[in-house]
Amino acid sequence: MKYLVILLWMVASAAQAEIPPHAFASPEQEALYYRLIHGLRCLVCSNQNLAESNAPLARDLRRKSYQMVIAGQSEAAISDYMRSRYGDRILYRPPLR
């Protein structure tokens, strides 16, 4: 039983993406960043958002999102950038067309 608990804990720990701590100028920027990474899909994993994925592409997209947030880009501008580069599939909830 003890080993089962340890195994489950290890699997749960590995399933969480490691998001390094970031410095934000305001709580609004931090909220925007987390809203973005939860609303954008990992294109490698498909069934996970950027916040959940450990894929290298997800790490790169989290980094790009952070850079754009810190640069003062709006949510719409960042989403438009991601959509222009990766298509509607990047959105975790793409529009129906």
Side-chain angles (χ1 to χ4, degrees):
M1 181 65 167
K2 175 180 166 184
Y3 295 110
L4 180 60
V5 171
I6 292 172
L7 178 64
L8 289 174
W9 176 79
M10 289 173 53
V11 169
S13 297
Q16 287 286 12
E18 187 165 323
I19 300 173
H22 294 297
F24 295 95
S26 69
E28 291 79 18
Q29 280 188 340
E30 185 174 8
L32 171 59
Y33 172 73
Y34 286 104
R35 193 167 50 249
L36 284 166
I37 67 171
H38 282 91
L40 295 173
R41 177 188 310 272
C42 175
L43 298 172
V44 175
C45 304
S46 294
N47 63 341
Q48 292 181 318
N49 59 37
L50 296 182
E52 297 169 336
S53 176
N54 282 317
L57 178 61
R59 286 194 299 267
D60 291 343
L61 293 176
R62 284 194 302 264
R63 187 177 321 110
K64 182 63 176 174
S65 297
Y66 173 72
Q67 292 168 346
M68 293 178 82
V69 166
I70 294 302
Q73 298 284 323
S74 69
E75 183 171 5
I78 298 169
S79 292
D80 289 346
Y81 169 82
M82 295 292 185
R83 286 177 60 207
S84 70
R85 194 162 169 123
Y86 300 103
D88 283 343
R89 185 156 160 57
I90 190 75
L91 301 175
Y92 203 70
R93 291 185 173 87
L96 296 174
R97 296 180 190 205

